[in-house]
Amino acid sequence: MSTITLRFLAEPSTVNYGGKVHGGTVMKWIDEAGYACATSWAKRYCVTVYVGGIRFHRPIMIGDLVEVEAKLAYTGSTSMNISVEVRSGDMKGGKLETTTECLIVFVSVDSHGKPMAVPAWTPDTPEAIALAKRAKAQLDASRSAG
């Protein structure tokens, strides 16, 4: 599977002092969706090695329907770049708006934690090709900065 979407309600236990969902909780959801996408693609355990370009556009309110979509954007020999978009909204309104987005990189590992090869992914739509280019550019920029 190259795309996974998780859907659930934002619960009161995730609230911060401002009455909105904690940013850290949103980051946890991003990691969970990314892990599900990476693991289903690699068919083995994967670990998070990088989260970049995280952008919080607007808060998530308690009771909102939350949708966390993780899409495979680019594969290396052992890594998978996953684009994650979080959307939320009041179910009565019927419209979900983007709240958060980022790029997350996972590496497929064996039982000893050594990197393992992953199947190559080839984008096959104009949208997927553009996403792959953005993911590779962001990865290249992070490597040159570090």
Side-chain angles (χ1 to χ4, degrees), residues 57-76:
H57 298 284
R58 65 176 201 80
I60 297 173
M61 308 306 289
I62 300 308
D64 278 359
L65 178 64
V66 179
E67 186 173 82
V68 186
E69 183 180 39
K71 290 182 188 178
L72 194 58
Y74 178 79
T75 54

Side-chain angles (χ1 to χ4, degrees), residues 32-82:
E32 290 170 347
Y35 172 80
C37 185
T39 300
S40 68
W41 182 258
K43 305 290 188 257
R44 65 171 26 98
Y45 182 67
C46 297
V47 295
T48 308
V49 296
Y50 172 83
V51 178
I54 192 162
R55 169 91 182 181
F56 293 93
H57 298 284
R58 65 176 201 80
I60 297 173
M61 308 306 289
I62 300 308
D64 278 359
L65 178 64
V66 179
E67 186 173 82
V68 186
E69 183 180 39
K71 290 182 188 178
L72 194 58
Y74 178 79
T75 54
S77 56
T78 62
S79 65
M80 292 148 289
N81 292 249
I82 312 278

Side-chain angles (χ1 to χ4, degrees), residues 17-29:
Y17 293 109
K20 297 163 179 85
V21 172
H22 282 283
T25 299
V26 176
M27 292 169 67
K28 176 181 179 274
W29 296 338

